[in-house]
């Protein structure tokens, strides 16, 4: 075969509990690739070309799924194709186990984080279960050999919001002004690479072996990075990450990181204009001792970079490279999985509210929405003639609210196992449709050089009437064909609902957790005051607890009804 493997990069957008949808997409994708390559190994008449999954970049819930993917790809886990599979194979599929069975509000409203006397409140919710899920997700039995459709070096990039920051100083020499422009990087990421040896060149990458994933020290770093990326500000516990620098400003990971620097656009040898080149920018650490341990507090990576498509693109293209977009030249592509539904953002009845607490909440919402404002990247992914970027998002019978985990800003999935289960199977169903009709190339692409006509006719995209679908006069063929078990239609689960009894149970749990948090906060911040002051503060807190609880429950009930989830 004379064609190179088609390289694929995955991007998991931030999604809170809607990571269940991303988990379902990935579960079907692994099943389809395994079935195709098993058929090839058995000598069956299936498409003969090659693909390689090379990178998974994720933010928040997408980062958690990326970390879980390391365990899923490095071991043999059965797909969860039906609810019956979920019951029969309980605990054996880490994606389903983590996102559907374990991430539940009853644990998040627990008190294990406050059991120790004097333990400080670091988040509104109890994040203990998340650490346990991270441990279980990578507690796998490694495969003896790497999957044939995985690249030799498989990259994981998990975005984090670095609250400490990384200091840079850009020298200035403009007229009479000399000095430096100082700035601080907070949109950070953790970069891991899995391969057979667990080794690689120096850089800002942490290497670990597939076979040693459950026990290698770097596996612990991967779990911490996933927890850091998903640490929703205030709601979930922040995490401390770090790097050990031998010579800060010289060989530390940040000073070795490559950045795209603008050029004048002079045409290169191939006639194309080179607009950027990749360069290192030394970090301005000041006078730090050798062997410095840089530690920093992290919260949700989605706050700064919710859809890290560019990180995945750079890994695929290489430093300063590009991914060809045309149908006849594309040989690698980024696939973004974005679980959040398209919901109207503009409110014609908007009223300016100058309440100080309301402003804080609106500011956070604005920051979150701004990180998702990437028209250049998303329009490329949506353009039918761009074959280097694709996007898969929830779709369910034309419904404006296709995923059950989309209410409450993505938190609704924590409320109900039925919500998460629905979205996992919707992810599988959407992924099957996506591979069949959308992740395609024109048959004139060199990838299909070795396809006999019979295979082209059997696997080409077809319209609703069964006729081959053509674009610019040529048929479209799948990059990942569906063969074997991947051809079995994925189940569509009925739209779930939430009952009044469940809401009553939730109300009690919220009131209990809120009471514990407020009491502990009084102990935290009034420890140096006399008993009378502390008692007064505790009375005020208890008085406000009921008011806050009712507001939270009212918001939950209203949004569940808006999404058609409340009986």
């Amino acid at each position: 075969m004379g064609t190179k493997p088609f390289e694929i990069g995955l991007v998991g957008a931030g999604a809170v509990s809607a990571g269940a949808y991303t988990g379902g997409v990935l579960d079907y994708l692994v099943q389809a690739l395994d079935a195709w390559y098993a058929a090839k190994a058995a000598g069956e008449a299936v498409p003969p070309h090659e693909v390689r999954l090379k990178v998974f970049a994720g933010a928040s819930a997408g980062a958690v799924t990326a970390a879980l993917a390391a365990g899923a790809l490095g071991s043999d886990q059965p797909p969860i194709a039906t609810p019956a599979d979920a019951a029969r194979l309980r605990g054996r599929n880490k994606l389903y186990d983590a996102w559907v069975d374990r991430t539940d509000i009853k644990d998040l409203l627990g008190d294990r984080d406050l059991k120790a006397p004097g333990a400080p409140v670091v988040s509104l919710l109890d994040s203990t279960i998340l650490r346990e899920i991270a441990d279980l997700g990578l507690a796998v039995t490694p495969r003896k050999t790497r999957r044939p459709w995985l690249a030799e070096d498989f990259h994981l990039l998990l975005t984090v919001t670095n609250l400490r920051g990384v200091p840079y100083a850009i020298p200035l020499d403009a007229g009479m002004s000399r000095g430096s422009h100082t700035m601080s990087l907070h949109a950070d990421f953790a970069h891991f690479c899995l391969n057979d040896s667990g080794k690689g060149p120096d850089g800002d990458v942490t290497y670990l072996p597939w076979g040693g994933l459950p026990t290698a020290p770097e596996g612990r770093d991967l779990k911490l990075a996933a927890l850091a990326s998903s640490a929703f500000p205030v709601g979930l516990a922040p995490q401390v990450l770090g790097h050990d620098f031998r010579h800060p400003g010289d060989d530390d990971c940040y000073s070795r990181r490559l950045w795209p620097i603008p050029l004048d656009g002079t045409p290169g040898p191939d006639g194309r204009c080179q607009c950027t080149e990749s360069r290192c920018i030394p970090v301005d650490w000041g006078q730090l001792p050798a062997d410095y341990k840089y530690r920093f507090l992290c919260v949700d990576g989605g706050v700064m970079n919710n859809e890290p498509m560019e990180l995945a693109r750079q890994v695929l293209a290489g430093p300063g490279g590009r991914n060809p977009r045309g149908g006849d030249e594309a040989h690698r592509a980024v696939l973004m999985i974005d679980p959040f539904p398209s919901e109207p953002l503009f409110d014609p009845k908007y009223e300016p509210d100058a309440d100080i607490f309301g402003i804080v909440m609106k500011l956070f919402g604005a920051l979150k929405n701004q990180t998702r404002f990437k028209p250049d990247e998303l329009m490329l992914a949506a353009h039918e003639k761009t074959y280097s970027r694709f996007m898969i998002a929830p779709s369910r019978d034309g419904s404006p609210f296709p995923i059950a985990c989309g209410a409450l800003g993505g938190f609704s999935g924590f409320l109900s196992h039925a919500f998460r289960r629905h979205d996992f199977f919707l992810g599988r169903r959407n992924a099957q449709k996506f591979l069949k009709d959308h992740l395609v190339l024109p048959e004139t692409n060199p990838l299909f050089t070795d396809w006999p006509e019979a295979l082209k006719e059997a696997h080409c995209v077809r319209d609703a009437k069964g006729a081959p679908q053509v674009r610019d006069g040529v048929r479209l063929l799948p990059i990942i064909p569906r063969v074997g078990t991947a051809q079995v239609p994925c189940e569509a689960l009925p739209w779930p609902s939430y009952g009044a009894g469940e809401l009553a149970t939730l109300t009690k749990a919220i009131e209990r957790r809120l009471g514990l948090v407020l009491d502990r906060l009084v102990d935290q911040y009034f420890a140096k005051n006399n008993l009378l002051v502390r008692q007064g503060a505790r009375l005020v807190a208890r008085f406000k607890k009921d008011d806050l609880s009712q507001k939270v429950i009212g918001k939950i009930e209203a949004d569940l009804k808006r999404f058609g989830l409340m009986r």
Side-chain angles (χ1 to χ4, degrees), residues 283-306:
V283 179
D284 185 22
W285 297 112
Q287 296 299 316
L288 291 180
D291 300 319
Y292 183 77
K293 296 183 182 299
Y294 172 67
R295 299 293 179 264
F296 50 99
L297 191 66
C298 293
V299 295
D300 196 333
V303 173
M304 296 290 177
N305 189 354
N306 195 61

Side-chain angles (χ1 to χ4, degrees), residues 545-565:
K545 181 199 73 173
D546 293 338
D547 185 42
L548 288 171
S549 297
Q550 289 305 311
K551 285 184 177 180
V552 170
I553 292 299
K555 168 64 176 174
I556 291 173
E557 184 174 6
D559 221 39
L560 291 180
K561 287 181 177 179
R562 185 168 68 94
F563 272 68
L565 292 165

Side-chain angles (χ1 to χ4, degrees), residues 241-484:
L241 300 183
H243 302 288
D244 294 340
F245 300 153
R246 287 175 293 179
H247 302 288
D250 180 15
D251 68 349
D252 66 83
C253 60
Y254 293 103
S255 295
R256 292 193 298 260
R257 191 167 287 180
L258 294 172
W259 298 91
I261 305 300
L263 297 176
D264 60 6
T266 302
D270 60 356
R272 297 181 183 273
C273 292
Q274 185 175 356
C275 299
T276 63
E277 70 175 5
S278 298
R279 296 182 192 169
C280 296
I281 303 177
V283 179
D284 185 22
W285 297 112
Q287 296 299 316
L288 291 180
D291 300 319
Y292 183 77
K293 296 183 182 299
Y294 172 67
R295 299 293 179 264
F296 50 99
L297 191 66
C298 293
V299 295
D300 196 333
V303 173
M304 296 290 177
N305 189 354
N306 195 61
E307 293 154 337
M309 185 175 286
E310 181 61 16
L311 294 180
R313 189 202 69 80
Q314 289 177 2
V315 170
L316 284 181
R322 60 183 296 273
N323 295 323
R325 299 172 184 171
D328 290 341
E329 58 180 356
H331 57 274
R332 49 188 178 234
V334 175
L335 163 58
M336 186 171 76
I337 309 168
D338 192 349
F340 273 117
S342 300
E343 184 179 351
L345 296 176
F346 185 76
D347 181 7
K349 298 180 180 180
Y350 171 81
E351 292 291 340
D353 184 0
D355 174 74
I356 186 170
F357 295 107
I359 290 173
V360 171
M361 295 305 296
K362 287 180 173 62
L363 175 62
F364 182 77
L367 288 171
K368 181 189 73 172
N369 289 330
Q370 185 61 42
T371 65
R372 303 181 71 213
F373 188 79
K374 298 180 179 180
D376 52 342
E377 295 182 359
L378 297 178
M379 289 181 72
L380 279 175
H383 197 286
E384 68 173 14
K385 293 187 179 181
T386 296
Y387 294 94
S388 62
R389 301 189 185 200
F390 297 87
M391 181 169 63
I392 178 171
S395 176
R396 182 182 63 88
D397 302 327
S399 170
F401 303 118
I403 60 171
C405 296
L408 300 169
F411 274 86
S412 59
F414 295 138
L415 305 184
S416 170
H417 183 274
F419 293 177
R420 303 188 299 275
R421 183 179 66 168
H422 172 276
D423 290 358
F424 183 92
F425 286 107
L426 181 68
R428 286 183 49 88
R429 185 176 176 83
N430 286 175
Q432 187 176 55
K433 172 73 171 175
F434 179 76
L435 295 191
K436 175 177 177 288
D437 294 336
H438 302 288
L439 190 63
V440 297
L441 291 169
E443 64 177 320
T444 49
N445 188 284
L447 188 69
F448 308 121
T449 299
D450 297 321
W451 280 42
E453 175 58 31
L455 283 179
K456 293 180 180 180
E457 181 65 20
H459 288 274
C460 69
V461 177
R462 297 182 178 274
D463 60 24
K465 295 181 180 180
Q469 184 175 325
V470 298
R471 188 176 297 167
D472 295 330
V474 298
R475 292 173 297 185
L476 300 172
L477 299 177
I479 296 172
I480 300 176
R482 298 170 304 113
V483 302

Side-chain angles (χ1 to χ4, degrees), residues 16 312 326 544:
V16 199
K544 294 299 293 182

